[in-house]
Amino acid sequence: MLFHVRMDVHLPTDLDPEVRADIVAREKAYSQKLQREGKWPHLWRIVGEYSNISIFDVESNDELHDLLSGLPLFPYMDIKVTPLATHPSKVRD
């Protein structure tokens, strides 16, 4: 199942710099692991924002929920998920 996911990050301005650096490092490692596994095949930064647009390829809604809630930045995110379906006009490979 494919999902379009927008993630907007809102870290507190008074967050300890060492805590911030740790969370961001763990986020990067976790996201890269999911990318290597093929579960997070597309990741794009939104210019000028601490946000991204991603495509996830997972088996179920529950799997996506588990992956997203496992993100170290999850407590600081607003997330919008849109399920995707094949468009009938898509040119197939």
Side-chain angles (χ1 to χ4, degrees), residues 1-3 30-42 54-60 63-64 67:
M1 298 175 70
L2 295 175
F3 294 90
Y30 182 70
S31 69
Q32 289 180 345
K33 173 184 175 287
L34 295 176
Q35 290 173 66
R36 283 191 288 279
E37 292 173 354
K39 295 180 183 294
W40 195 336
H42 299 281
S54 296
I55 302 295
F56 283 82
D57 187 358
V58 295
E59 294 298 317
S60 67
E63 181 182 12
L64 180 63
L67 295 178

Side-chain angles (χ1 to χ4, degrees), residues 18-80:
E18 289 182 20
V19 172
R20 177 188 168 100
D22 177 65
I23 293 169
V24 170
R26 288 187 294 117
E27 180 83 7
K28 182 175 182 177
Y30 182 70
S31 69
Q32 289 180 345
K33 173 184 175 287
L34 295 176
Q35 290 173 66
R36 283 191 288 279
E37 292 173 354
K39 295 180 183 294
W40 195 336
H42 299 281
L43 171 61
W44 294 278
R45 173 180 288 168
I46 298 174
V47 175
E49 299 180 28
Y50 195 172
S51 302
N52 74 72
I53 296 290
S54 296
I55 302 295
F56 283 82
D57 187 358
V58 295
E59 294 298 317
S60 67
N61 295 333
D62 290 332
E63 181 182 12
L64 180 63
H65 178 79
D66 290 344
L67 295 178
L68 293 176
S69 62
L71 290 165
L73 286 170
F74 181 78
Y76 307 103
M77 289 182 172
D78 291 326
I79 299 175
K80 182 176 180 193

